Amino acid sequence: MRDLLDEALAGVAARPTRLILTTLGTVLGVAALVGTVGLGQTAAGQITQRFDLAAATRVVVQPDDKGGQEGEAATQLPWDAPDRIKRLNGVEAVGTVSSLEIGDDLVENVTGLDGGEGKALQVMAGSSGLWDAVRAVLKTGRFFDDGHDQRADKVVVLGKHAAERLGINRVDSQPAVFIGDEAYTVIGILDSVTGRADLNDAVIMPNGTAKQAYKLESPDAVEIRTAVGAAQLIAEQAPIAIEPNNPSTLTVDAPPKQGAVRKGVESDLNALFLLLGAVALLVGGLGIANVTLLSVLERISEIGLRRALGAARRHIAVQFLVESVIVGFLGGLLGTAVGVILTVGVSWVRDWTPILDNRLAFGSPLLGAFIGLVAGTYPAWKASAIQPITALRGT
Amino acid sequence: MSTAVALPAPVVEMIGVRRFFPGPPEVQAINGIDLIIGQGEYLSIVGPSGSGKSTLLHLLGLLDNPTGGVYRLDGVDTMSLRERRRAVLRGERIGFVFQSFHLLDHRTVLENVALSMVYVGVPRRQRMARARVALDRVGLSHRMEFAPTTLSGGERQRVAIARALVAEPSLLLADEPTGNLDSANAEAILQVFDELHSEGMTLAVITHDDNVSRRAQRQVRIVDGTLKW
């Protein structure tokens, strides 16, 4: 067995230039394959990571708008919905959000610094837990809390764009805005929120204040931020927790399963390049077959000699087969290295985290070997069929 | 001839061996040959080209199968053997020396000699040592790590002889061993053969050269597929 390997290795090593040229096709094919899959996985990893941050942990519960009369929702969300949801395992933050019907009321900077004209801005109401639930980040000031809510304080937090339109960019001077005829103190300005872009353009007041000023009857929606991976579970449990008697009257928005996202993206990205890699591998395999066949013809006298020295047909066949497997394996090894370097290089340039399946890295050289095996079968059979007397006749 | 008959087990025993090549036209390359080569004998087979001497060499070397007749090598009936067994017998019992040397250019002289022990099951550790002894015997101990391509024709043929000897065959079969050599180198090879003969090796040399043939202990001529002497 070791003899066989030695003889095959010597046979392969005898013509190094040819060896390199022969492996080229396999190198390219495997490199394309590994690079494609590696970059696909890496890219999908990046995309999924972004999904994770933004959406994969967001669950929104709203009343079902069908079934009620004249577009009215069939049920109303209870005010204690956040408390009910908070008890569920996997919930990190929860809050309510509502849009207020403010009629023709306009919003205006009390100082008149914005030009003195009222703006038609969206006015919304939220619970103190809303901020954490939508990952709100303040530019300045503070959020309202349960105290503001219970006391129905006339305070508001401005969305980023709303603050710009009102010409307010700091809160240390206790600026105020008119909504209609009522003045509200601005206690904070948002910098960013995720998932609820409408908050950026809104003036937000505590629920308690909204109940008093605008007769808000019930929250429009419950915003839930879950632990990573808990979104699907929470999506199932939330309606029952909020409306145990009638959970089907609520609709839940939840992110698709993570795996589904990743798989979908990967298959899209990879299909074409995998095909390309497969074609390159086919060409590589044909290259090996061709060169091995050529080498069989060249080495006829060697084959004859080995037969004269007592080699049986199978010895010859196996030697050529092993040689072509070695060539394929080397090609696969080189190709894998190139593919990995490609993946890491692109990731480095794009500032991604390279993700590569270990099975891919270790399996690809074996794929090369397999291609060598398939490609070498016919030449090996051909070599073993050569009659020793024919082989020895030459000069 | 008398010595050969006196020895108990002849190395080669051919009785009525024929070899036809199916046509068209059918060629009767070997047509009923009886040949006995005793142990330690030095035999030459001469004949013009086309006389069937190459075919006879192939038959003797188990590289080809007779169409009919009986061929016993070391008392083993080779006609009934399957191809794999024949390959083993060939590797173990016959050492070939070819006109064109048939050395592997990419391997060292030592590796070329050791190669003939790969297929006959000599343990790896013994091979290099035995190859060195064999090369020493043909006077090439100073060339062991050389590539065959850097050697002269005469040296290459001595490497080939060392390779043929190293597996300790029963029969050394040489096909025009001096055909590619000048007279000085040819003479050196023939001297090696003489030495081997004196050490008891059985040799069969196939040649068309009478100068080579004359060195043998016994000569047979092959004409039109039959032996004459």
Side-chain angles (χ1 to χ4, degrees):
Chain A
M1 196 60 216
R2 258 196 71 193
D3 293 332
L4 196 73
L5 207 62
D6 282 356
E7 292 302 316
L9 274 173
V12 170
R15 296 162 190 82
T17 322
R18 172 184 296 183
L19 172 66
I20 292 167
L21 289 175
T22 313
T23 56
L24 210 59
T26 323
V27 171
L28 287 178
V30 173
L33 211 69
V34 172
T36 303
V37 176
L39 282 176
Q41 285 175 341
T42 300
Q46 303 312 306
I47 292 162
T48 323
Q49 270 178 23
R50 269 176 219 156
F51 281 0
D52 285 350
L53 289 171
T57 58
R58 183 181 176 220
V59 175
V60 183
V61 183
Q62 285 169 300
D64 198 337
D65 50 9
K66 288 181 216 90
Q69 288 157 2
E70 293 163 24
E72 287 283 302
T75 37
Q76 290 186 335
L77 287 169
W79 286 111
D80 66 348
D83 295 327
R84 293 166 181 248
I85 298 293
K86 209 173 279 175
R87 288 186 216 120
L88 299 177
N89 205 3
V91 172
E92 306 230 306
V94 56
T96 66
V97 63
S98 317
S99 292
L100 298 180
E101 302 285 337
I102 57 169
D104 297 332
D105 284 358
L106 297 175
V107 183
E108 189 181 347
N109 189 336
V110 170
T111 60
L113 285 176
D114 58 338
E117 283 180 20
K119 312 271 186 309
L121 286 172
Q122 176 75 51
V123 178
M124 301 180 84
S127 70
S128 58
L130 174 66
W131 309 117
D132 197 10
V134 297
R135 297 172 200 269
V137 177
L138 279 172
K139 187 186 278 175
T140 179
R142 56 166 299 188
F143 298 123
F144 52 71
D145 58 23
D146 283 337
H148 296 112
D149 194 352
Q150 280 154 21
R151 293 187 300 271
D153 286 342
K154 291 192 177 302
V155 293
V156 289
V157 171
L158 301 181
K160 185 165 72 174
H161 303 310
E164 280 165 16
R165 289 186 63 193
L166 290 166
I168 295 171
N169 50 30
R170 43 194 298 185
V171 295
D172 48 3
S173 58
Q174 294 198 314
V177 292
F178 284 121
I179 303 174
D181 298 328
E182 291 286 336
Y184 293 81
T185 308
V186 177
I187 59 170
I189 298 173
L190 295 177
D191 189 42
S192 69
V193 293
T194 48
R196 295 242 19 160
D198 53 350
L199 289 174
N200 285 325
D201 297 305
V203 176
I204 308 119
M205 64 176 65
N207 279 337
T209 315
K211 279 188 232 171
Q212 210 169 68
Y214 292 99
K215 312 261 182 300
L216 180 64
E217 285 175 11
S218 70
D220 286 355
V222 179
E223 284 279 343
I224 306 167
R225 182 165 66 79
T226 72
V228 175
Q232 273 77 39
L233 184 71
I234 298 301
E236 282 173 29
Q237 295 175 342
I240 301 165
I242 295 171
E243 200 72 61
N245 295 326
N246 230 347
S248 62
T249 58
L250 301 175
T251 56
V252 182
D253 284 340
K257 284 206 170 100
Q258 243 186 63
V261 174
R262 186 169 289 167
K263 280 200 188 91
V265 174
E266 267 178 26
S267 62
D268 286 353
L269 280 172
N270 288 356
L272 186 69
F273 285 100
L274 285 182
L275 194 70
L276 223 65
V279 170
L281 279 182
L282 188 70
V283 173
L286 285 175
I288 294 180
N290 236 325
V291 175
T292 310
L293 205 56
L294 186 74
S295 133
V296 167
L297 294 178
E298 259 185 14
R299 289 159 67 184
I300 280 187
S301 101
E302 177 188 332
I303 294 166
L305 172 74
R306 287 178 186 276
R307 294 293 297 275
L309 295 179
R313 283 185 58 162
R314 74 195 158 94
H315 288 120
I316 304 297
V318 173
Q319 184 186 340
F320 276 93
L321 207 55
V322 170
E323 283 187 22
S324 105
V325 167
I326 290 172
V327 170
F329 180 75
L330 285 177
L333 209 61
L334 273 175
T336 307
V338 172
V340 169
I341 290 170
L342 198 74
T343 305
V344 173
V346 171
S347 300
W348 183 67
V349 170
R350 304 285 301 261
D351 214 6
W352 287 348
T353 313
I355 297 171
L356 199 65
D357 200 332
N358 278 342
R359 284 171 300 178
L360 182 74
F362 292 107
S364 300
L366 296 181
L367 177 69
F370 175 73
I371 287 165
L373 183 73
V374 174
T377 304
Y378 175 68
W381 174 80
K382 199 90 172 146
S384 75
I386 289 172
Q387 288 300 318
I389 46 172
T390 325
L392 291 167
R393 192 170 290 152
T395 48
Chain B
M1 196 67 196
S2 58
T3 49
V5 174
L7 285 166
V11 175
V12 168
E13 198 177 359
M14 277 184 165
I15 303 165
V17 164
R18 301 183 305 279
R19 179 67 170 110
F20 299 164
F21 291 105
E26 191 184 79
V27 178
Q28 305 188 345
I30 298 291
N31 198 358
I33 277 184
D34 301 318
L35 178 65
I36 290 174
I37 307 176
Q39 239 160 43
E41 237 192 312
Y42 183 1
L43 173 85
S44 72
I45 301 166
V46 278
S49 51
S51 58
K53 63 180 188 312
S54 286
T55 308
L56 180 59
L57 173 97
H58 295 147
L59 292 174
L60 279 169
L62 297 175
L63 293 170
D64 195 9
N65 282 320
T67 315
V70 175
Y71 175 24
R72 280 194 279 270
L73 179 64
D74 277 345
V76 179
D77 179 12
T78 65
M79 304 293 287
S80 60
L81 294 179
R82 297 185 37 199
E83 173 54 34
R84 263 165 79 170
R85 188 72 201 109
R86 289 168 61 86
V88 173
L89 197 66
R90 178 161 70 223
E92 284 174 355
R93 305 287 172 94
I94 294 173
F96 288 95
V97 175
F98 305 99
Q99 177 176 4
S100 49
F101 321 137
H102 285 300
L103 301 175
L104 301 184
D105 291 343
H106 300 282
R107 315 289 284 273
T108 65
V109 163
L110 190 65
E111 285 172 339
N112 264 287
V113 175
L115 184 67
S116 71
M117 290 176 284
V118 167
Y119 297 105
V120 295
V122 175
R124 298 172 65 85
R125 267 166 292 156
Q126 292 180 22
R127 284 186 217 151
M128 288 303 164
R130 279 174 66 173
R132 283 197 184 87
V133 172
L135 280 167
D136 203 31
R137 194 168 167 191
V138 296
L140 282 177
S141 40
H142 58 300
R143 292 279 191 262
M144 288 185 189
E145 298 303 328
F146 281 52
T149 43
T150 63
L151 267 49
S152 75
E155 283 175 323
R156 287 190 215 184
Q157 195 58 297
R158 271 143 70 193
V159 174
I161 292 170
R163 181 181 61 196
L165 292 176
V166 76
E168 292 171 357
S170 314
L171 174 66
L172 190 75
L173 208 52
D175 181 15
E176 301 282 6
T178 61
N180 282 359
L181 303 178
D182 59 36
S183 56
N185 274 317
E187 177 54 31
I189 295 300
L190 292 175
Q191 265 171 26
V192 173
F193 283 175
D194 287 345
E195 285 165 29
L196 291 173
H197 173 54
S198 66
E199 287 165 23
M201 175 61 70
T202 312
L203 294 106
V205 178
I206 291 184
T207 182
H208 68 275
D209 185 344
D210 285 337
N211 291 326
V212 176
S213 164
R214 227 172 285 132
R215 300 286 284 257
Q217 177 190 14
R218 178 160 74 104
Q219 296 153 36
V220 292
R221 295 193 69 81
I222 179 165
V223 177
D224 294 336
T226 49
L227 290 184
K228 300 200 158 119
W229 61 81

